[in-house]
Amino acid sequence: MVRYEYLGFDSFNDYFNTFLNTLLKTNKTYEYFVDWEKVKKNVRKFKHQIFLLNSLRDVKDRDEIKREFVDLLVRYPEVLKVIPLLIAERVKNGKIDILDPDVMDFVQYDFKKKRISKEEAEKYVYFSEKVGIVDLLMEIKDLYDYLLGVEVGLDTNSRKNRSGDIFEDLVQIALEKYLPERFKIVPQDPNFSLYQTIGRTAREQAKRHDFVLYFKDSPKFILEANFYNVTGSKPISIAESYITLQHEARKYNVDFVWITDGPGWLSMKEPLMRAMKEIDYVLNYKMIPRFCSSLDKLV
């Protein structure tokens, strides 16, 4: 069971209620919304191609812009790489398959071609007209600014993954702030992992713990951190897997610490309580100072 007494609580109920009452409503920090460095990097690498496409923006006649677009693609086929981005499409292997009603079959477009004929270029301009890119070229002032906006939109799809990374960063900042100086924190430690012994596959065995705390050059605590905004099967399965990790930790004379938070737990109290009855340390973000202040009693 959770060693609530080391965290300064008089009873399990006192600990459990405090845990639930101090859960974070959200882990959205300023960095959550947009990864601007990634956005700008993704656009900058196509700066040359964007410059070439921008040369078409002053053409106002549709037939003329299509002719110039064909010539541009023949002379500079590298411009093809940008076309999917203009419609916010991440392509695998550089290819897009389109179901064309005119031929009642799929037509494949390869945007990684290094050389194309005039006939092939006309095919790509046809694609561009059908998906609205020709209209875009006639209306937009600067494709660079436009693609920055597109990348911001695509980056929102990464928020779910970024949410977990942000919580790990928050945990690391708190640990570094409150840990006694005698302890050393190692994120993603390559030298110590219980997954090597409990993993069923090579990939599972290669996993690393979010943090390992060292005392006098010996690993004393392994920590995993995660945040759940909503309920689901994943946090329940994670809780069950961490119970296994707890049992394995005891064999190696180290303590397992699970730092988890988020409003999702308010609707998953039963699996949370089951984990707390098996795992020695289950903390939320605001309990980190309590844990750090208790470390002198634990080593």
Side-chain angles (χ1 to χ4, degrees):
M1 177 177 280
V2 163
R3 302 170 74 176
Y4 58 82
E5 66 277 9
Y6 285 100
L7 298 174
F9 296 100
D10 295 327
S11 66
F12 178 81
N13 284 339
D14 182 22
Y15 154 80
F16 188 67
N17 290 330
T18 300
F19 184 98
L20 294 178
N21 291 333
T22 55
L23 287 172
L24 299 176
K25 295 179 181 179
T26 178
N27 65 333
K28 293 179 183 177
T29 62
Y30 298 110
E31 294 77 22
Y32 169 81
F33 299 96
V34 179
D35 184 344
W36 285 107
E37 282 303 312
K38 185 181 80 171
V39 165
K40 288 185 281 189
K41 180 180 178 182
N42 286 347
V43 177
R44 277 198 300 264
K45 65 184 178 182
F46 296 111
K47 184 169 61 175
H48 173 65
Q49 292 91 330
I50 294 169
F51 172 79
L52 292 170
L53 277 172
N54 268 339
S55 67
L56 302 175
R57 64 187 175 185
D58 294 328
V59 182
K60 301 304 179 185
D61 180 76
R62 175 177 291 274
D63 291 334
E64 184 181 352
I65 199 172
K66 287 162 60 177
R67 285 194 298 271
E68 293 200 13
F69 199 177
V70 168
D71 291 340
L72 183 68
L73 292 178
V74 172
R75 295 176 62 191
Y76 305 103
E78 63 270 25
V79 171
L80 287 174
K81 298 177 183 178
V82 180
I83 291 178
L85 293 179
L86 294 173
I87 53 174
E89 181 72 12
R90 301 277 197 216
V91 292
K92 293 182 179 179
N93 302 318
K95 298 176 181 178
I96 295 179
D97 291 323
I98 296 290
L99 179 58
D100 192 328
D102 291 337
V103 297
M104 298 181 65
D105 205 347
F106 287 96
V107 178
Q108 186 176 88
Y109 294 88
D110 185 353
F111 294 94
K112 283 192 173 180
K113 284 198 167 189
K114 296 182 178 179
R115 182 177 298 176
I116 60 175
S117 65
K118 181 179 179 182
E119 290 74 20
E120 289 175 312
E122 289 173 347
K123 173 184 170 182
Y124 287 99
V125 171
Y126 173 81
F127 171 91
S128 299
E129 184 173 30
K130 283 291 188 180
V131 299
I133 290 175
V134 170
D135 290 328
L136 177 71
L137 292 172
M138 295 176 68
E139 296 174 7
I140 205 75
K141 290 184 177 180
D142 185 3
L143 286 175
Y144 191 93
D145 291 343
Y146 167 81
L147 281 173
L148 280 175
V150 169
E151 283 292 338
V152 168
L154 291 172
D155 185 65
T156 60
N157 296 326
S158 302
R159 285 180 179 175
K160 184 177 180 181
N161 294 332
R162 189 154 60 238
S163 175
D165 294 338
I166 286 173
F167 187 65
E168 286 183 27
D169 290 342
L170 288 171
V171 168
Q172 182 172 347
I173 290 169
L175 288 171
E176 290 174 345
K177 180 177 181 180
Y178 292 104
L179 273 176
E181 291 184 2
R182 297 182 298 161
F183 286 85
K184 176 185 177 183
I185 178 173
V186 181
Q188 302 292 323
D189 186 5
N191 299 315
F192 184 81
S193 174
L194 298 179
Y195 289 115
Q196 294 174 350
T197 59
I198 67 170
R200 291 168 295 178
T201 66
R203 183 177 180 180
E204 290 173 343
Q205 292 168 3
K207 285 179 64 178
R208 297 176 181 176
H209 300 294
D210 291 335
F211 307 100
V212 178
L213 296 188
Y214 282 80
F215 178 74
K216 293 183 178 179
D217 298 323
S218 298
K220 292 297 181 182
F221 297 89
I222 55 174
L223 291 79
E224 296 288 351
N226 37 54
F227 190 94
Y228 298 107
N229 280 298
V230 296
T231 60
S233 59
K234 183 175 180 180
I236 295 173
S237 64
I238 287 290
E240 293 171 352
S241 69
Y242 285 170
I243 291 173
T244 302
L245 207 56
Q246 166 70 64
H247 295 159
E248 193 69 12
R250 287 172 179 160
K251 297 179 185 178
Y252 289 84
N253 197 31
V254 295
D255 286 309
F256 177 63
V257 182
W258 183 21
I259 304 176
T260 188
D261 214 309
W265 287 119
L266 294 173
S267 301
M268 298 185 292
K269 296 178 185 177
E270 289 187 11
L272 177 62
M273 185 173 286
R274 284 199 301 271
M276 288 174 169
K277 289 183 177 179
E278 295 285 344
I279 299 174
D280 287 344
Y281 298 98
V282 182
L283 320 172
N284 64 25
Y285 174 72
K286 291 189 176 180
M287 287 180 170
I288 292 175
R290 284 177 176 265
F291 168 73
C292 291
S293 64
S294 72
L295 285 175
D296 287 332
K297 309 172 190 174
L298 304 176
V299 295

